[in-house]
Structures are given as structure tokens and as C-alpha cells.
Amino acid sequence: MSEAEKTILVVDDESDLRDSLGKVLRKEGYLVLLAESGEAALELLSRKHVDLVLTDLRMPQMSGIDLLRRVKQQWPDVEVVVLT
């Protein structure tokens, strides 16, 4: 699978950081989905194929670690990277 076929989900409650990271990844040829919360990320994951989740550690309601746990329970093949 080429990079252009891979989908990365960027999860961050800070829109500037989320949008900037998405822009860089798109320039590198990845398909990018953006979510402003762990809950929004889980909803996207239930509807879309995602190869990698990049998530902020500190977010309201659901932390990046909580999101990591939920993703691995429901989609064990999806890789997750927690950023801080």
C-alpha cells in the first residue's frame, strides 16, 4: 500500500495544531481525517478505514491514553501514536 492510500486520523482539541499537522501529512501524500475529541475520533473510526491514529495526550473528557485503549479494543490492527 502506498502512502497515498494510507489514512491518518489526527485527534487534537486544539484546532490550530490539528489543522497544521493535517496540512503537513496531506503534503506528504496521506489521506487525513481530523477529529476534535476522542469521542469524535471513535465515531469516525466506526465509519471510515484508518491506518494510523495520531492523538494528543491531554484532551477534555477522553485522554489520548483512553482513546488508545478504546481503539485497540475495537480496532486492534489500527496503530496509535500518542503525542504530547
Side-chain angles (χ1 to χ4, degrees):
M1 186 177 285
S2 72
E3 290 172 352
E5 297 168 331
K6 294 198 181 277
T7 302
I8 299 175
L9 172 56
V10 177
V11 188
D12 199 312
D13 59 316
E14 295 184 36
S15 62
D16 290 344
L17 293 173
R18 184 177 64 240
D19 294 342
S20 294
L21 187 52
K23 189 179 210 179
V24 168
L25 292 168
R26 283 188 188 101
K27 278 180 115 173
E28 292 298 319
Y30 295 98
L31 299 172
V32 178
L33 302 172
L34 303 175
E36 69 280 354
S37 67
E39 294 84 357
L42 292 172
E43 199 278 321
L44 273 171
L45 282 160
S46 72
R47 295 185 293 115
K48 306 270 187 181
H49 169 80
V50 172
D51 298 291
L52 173 67
V53 175
L54 295 177
T55 181
D56 187 22
L57 175 63
R58 295 182 186 188
M59 296 182 292
Q61 286 87 38
M62 183 183 298
S63 74
I65 298 299
D66 293 335
L67 177 59
L68 165 70
R69 289 183 183 122
R70 296 278 302 274
V71 170
K72 286 304 188 179
Q73 285 174 350
Q74 295 180 23
W75 303 277
D77 293 336
V78 174
E79 296 297 327
V80 179
V81 176
V82 180
L83 307 170
T84 184

